[in-house]
């Protein structure tokens, strides 16, 4: 009974925090939609960090999951936020480094990539993660291959620079589109669904088509 009460309390606290963060998430994107997006990594970093935290917080708040799983989820969610926050904070500095990667860049970069892969595994399944890990391995091991598969290979600094400093990796076009446009359509769809406007518009459209 004592364990069940603790789990129930954990779920209630998690749900309340989730609601507060979700509201802030929506307000942030509404603000940037009206007044313009933040430059560089900032918009995308806040967007990704918030999504990771909300997802893992929902995993933590579910009584269906075991306690160790829930604790692990919130730790991973916080790690994702920290990783995103780090790259948001050093964004302006990175522009003047000319590709120089420091140890903190590597540590926080690997941490963020691991969190993203874990999130992908829980949402999409093992297939996406396996493909991702195979390509990461190919980046490092390609220099040992033969024929058209051979390339000069990556080291850790170049890998982090490619995936987390340039716009070719994590901060690429898909995340940019999600942070600026896709999220607004999702918010609009959620509002229409919860308020019943979507059902009304669908019914009104069907009635007009029926009259035709």
């Amino acid at each position: 009974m004592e364990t069940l009460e603790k789990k129930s309390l954990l779920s209630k606290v998690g749900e309340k925090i989730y609601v507060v963060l979700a509201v802030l998430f929506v307000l942030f994107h509404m603000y940037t939609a009206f007044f313009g997006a933040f430059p560089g990594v900032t918009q995308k970093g806040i967007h990704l960090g918030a999504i990771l935290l909300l997802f893992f917080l929902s995993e933590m708040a579910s009584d269906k999951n075991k306690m160790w799983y829930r604790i692990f989820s919130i730790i991973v969610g916080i790690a994702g936020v920290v990783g995103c926050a780090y790259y948001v904070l050093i964004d302006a500095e990175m522009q003047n480094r000319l590709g120089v990667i420091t140890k903190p860049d590597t540590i926080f970069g690997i941490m963020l990539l691991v969190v993203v892969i874990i999130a992908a595994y829980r949402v999409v399944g093992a297939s996406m993660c396996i493909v991702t890990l195979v390509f990461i391995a190919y980046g490092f091991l390609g220099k040992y291959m033969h024929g058209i598969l051979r390339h000069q290979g990556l080291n850790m600094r170049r890998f982090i620079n490619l995936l987390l400093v340039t716009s070719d990796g994590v901060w690429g076009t898909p995340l940019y589109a999600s942070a600026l446009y896709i999220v607004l359509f999702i918010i609009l769809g959620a509002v229409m669904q919860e308020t019943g406007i979507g059902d009304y518009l669908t019914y009104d459209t069907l009635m007009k088509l029926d009259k035709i």
Side-chain angles (χ1 to χ4, degrees), residues 34-70:
F34 282 104
F35 299 102
F38 290 96
V41 172
T42 304
Q43 178 80 19
K44 294 175 282 189
I46 294 175
H47 176 76
L48 178 61
I51 287 177
L52 290 173
L53 183 58
L54 286 169
F55 171 71
F56 285 108
L57 187 60
S58 68
E59 295 279 281
M60 185 273 289
S62 175
D63 278 328
K64 296 179 181 179
N65 298 324
K66 295 181 179 180
M67 183 58 71
W68 69 265
Y69 185 92
R70 300 165 76 180

Side-chain angles (χ1 to χ4, degrees), residues 19-190:
V19 170
V20 172
L21 291 176
V23 170
L24 293 175
F25 178 79
V26 171
L27 291 176
F28 168 76
H29 285 93
M30 294 301 293
Y31 174 84
T32 56
F34 282 104
F35 299 102
F38 290 96
V41 172
T42 304
Q43 178 80 19
K44 294 175 282 189
I46 294 175
H47 176 76
L48 178 61
I51 287 177
L52 290 173
L53 183 58
L54 286 169
F55 171 71
F56 285 108
L57 187 60
S58 68
E59 295 279 281
M60 185 273 289
S62 175
D63 278 328
K64 296 179 181 179
N65 298 324
K66 295 181 179 180
M67 183 58 71
W68 69 265
Y69 185 92
R70 300 165 76 180
I71 294 173
F72 176 75
S73 293
I74 195 61
I75 291 173
V76 174
I78 293 172
V81 172
V82 172
C84 289
Y86 175 80
Y87 279 94
V88 168
L89 291 174
I90 68 165
D91 185 38
E93 178 188 340
M94 292 297 290
Q95 305 302 321
N96 301 320
R97 282 204 207 162
L98 300 176
V100 176
I101 303 298
T102 63
K103 285 186 178 179
D105 299 340
T106 303
I107 293 170
F108 285 102
I110 293 174
M111 183 173 67
L112 180 57
L113 289 173
V114 170
V115 173
V116 171
I117 290 172
I118 292 173
Y121 173 76
R122 292 193 180 180
V123 175
V124 182
S127 57
M128 178 65 74
C129 297
I130 291 171
V131 171
T132 302
L133 293 173
V134 166
F135 276 100
I136 290 175
Y138 174 66
F140 288 97
L141 302 176
K143 60 184 177 181
Y144 301 110
M145 295 186 177
H146 301 281
I148 60 172
L149 294 177
R150 181 181 174 84
H151 61 82
Q152 63 181 356
L154 295 173
N155 55 37
M156 185 55 69
R157 290 188 176 182
R158 190 180 173 198
F159 175 74
I160 294 297
N161 181 68
L162 180 65
L163 261 68
L164 290 157
V165 176
T166 69
S167 59
D168 296 325
V170 173
W171 315 119
T173 303
L175 183 60
Y176 179 81
S178 176
L180 264 69
Y181 307 111
I182 297 174
V183 65
L184 297 177
F185 284 101
I186 293 174
I187 292 171
L188 176 61

Side-chain angles (χ1 to χ4, degrees), residues 11-21 57:
S11 295
K12 289 179 181 178
V13 172
E15 287 173 0
K16 289 180 180 179
I17 296 174
Y18 182 91
V19 170
V20 172
L21 291 176
L57 187 60

Side-chain angles (χ1 to χ4, degrees), residues 1-11 63 67 70:
M1 289 296 293
E2 197 173 349
T3 306
L4 290 175
E5 287 178 3
K6 287 183 179 179
K7 284 187 177 182
S8 180
L9 178 61
L10 183 62
S11 295
D63 278 328
M67 183 58 71
R70 300 165 76 180

